[in-house]
Amino acid sequence: MTSAARKIVVTGPFGAGKTTFATTVTEGLGGGTLVTTETGVSDETAALKTSTTVALDHTSFTVPAVASSAWTDTRVNLFGTPGQERFAFMWELLAQNMHGYLVLVDASRSVSIAQAAVVVGAFARIAPASPRLVAVSRWADPAGTRGHLAQLLGTSPSALVACDPRDLGQCTAVLRLLLDGVHTLESRRQPHAGAQTDGVHA
């Protein structure tokens, strides 16, 4: 039995791994075709990567539940946002009717952390009640730097999870964690509906 489909948004700065994440779960979870809107990069960011998403990435797949899940196998419609702030108008459009979101950040690059903080702040304003996780790649010292990184990103330490967007197991685990938060929020009544749901515990 499969639960009703959920809309999940993957966002984050340029080069954080959003399209890689979408590719990994599409190929690994038996999804359909990944639709991307990439174009070549001609500014100074070309040293980091040669293309960037300018509108959205989209894919769909089923996340299998595990024994401890409070939900059944769930179909996910995944939307990836552009990372560059000049395309930020797409963030609000893609956030409409989403059930939760992931912010990806590359902890090895200080510029990525600073840019991710902008994204975190923007989505907190756009969707203050939506469950979110911050998926951190290339994180050399999660135990020692969790509090400091959370402060730099403007989020709570509980929202941070390590995730290599190339690793199917890690990507699936993060999606399950986010779906736990989505289910928890949906299971609750309205008294806390206006509060920020930072991390998986609504």
Side-chain angles (χ1 to χ4, degrees):
M1 180 177 178
T2 302
S3 299
R6 298 294 189 271
K7 178 181 179 181
I8 300 297
V9 169
V10 175
T11 188
F14 175 83
K18 299 178 294 297
T19 299
T20 300
F21 185 100
T23 300
T24 297
V25 293
T26 299
E27 295 176 351
L29 295 177
T33 301
L34 172 63
V35 177
T36 65
T37 54
E38 291 198 329
T39 190
V41 175
S42 58
D43 59 15
E44 67 279 1
T45 57
L48 182 62
K49 57 182 292 195
T50 58
S51 62
T52 186
T53 298
V54 294
L56 60 90
D57 292 332
H58 176 257
T59 186
S60 60
F61 49 86
T62 298
V63 178
V66 293
S68 59
S69 299
W71 41 272
T72 57
D73 294 357
T74 298
R75 192 71 178 171
V76 168
N77 292 318
L78 188 78
F79 292 83
T81 74
Q84 292 174 297
E85 199 171 350
R86 59 180 165 155
F87 300 119
F89 65 93
M90 288 298 300
W91 301 350
E92 190 161 352
L93 291 174
L94 292 173
Q96 292 179 9
N97 301 314
M98 70 180 177
H99 294 91
Y101 64 99
L102 300 169
V103 180
L104 271 57
V105 58
D106 178 352
S108 70
R109 297 190 302 118
S110 58
V111 67
S112 181
I113 294 171
Q115 291 169 347
V118 173
V119 178
V120 167
F123 271 79
R125 292 188 296 273
I126 293 167
S130 292
R132 75 174 174 199
L133 290 171
V134 180
V136 186
S137 64
R138 297 173 181 166
W139 195 4
D141 184 17
T145 60
R146 178 175 297 275
H148 180 61
L149 182 57
Q151 184 178 33
L152 291 175
L153 291 168
T155 191
S156 69
S158 65
L160 303 185
V161 290
C163 179
D164 182 340
R166 302 166 299 180
D167 187 294
L168 177 61
Q170 292 182 31
C171 293
T172 304
V174 168
L175 286 167
R176 286 187 177 125
L177 199 56
L178 185 61
L179 288 170
D180 284 344
V182 170
H183 177 82
T184 298
L185 187 63
E186 291 176 343
S187 298
R188 291 183 177 181
R189 298 300 179 183
Q190 291 302 311
H192 303 293
Q196 167 69 48
T197 308
D198 198 4
V200 298
H201 302 294

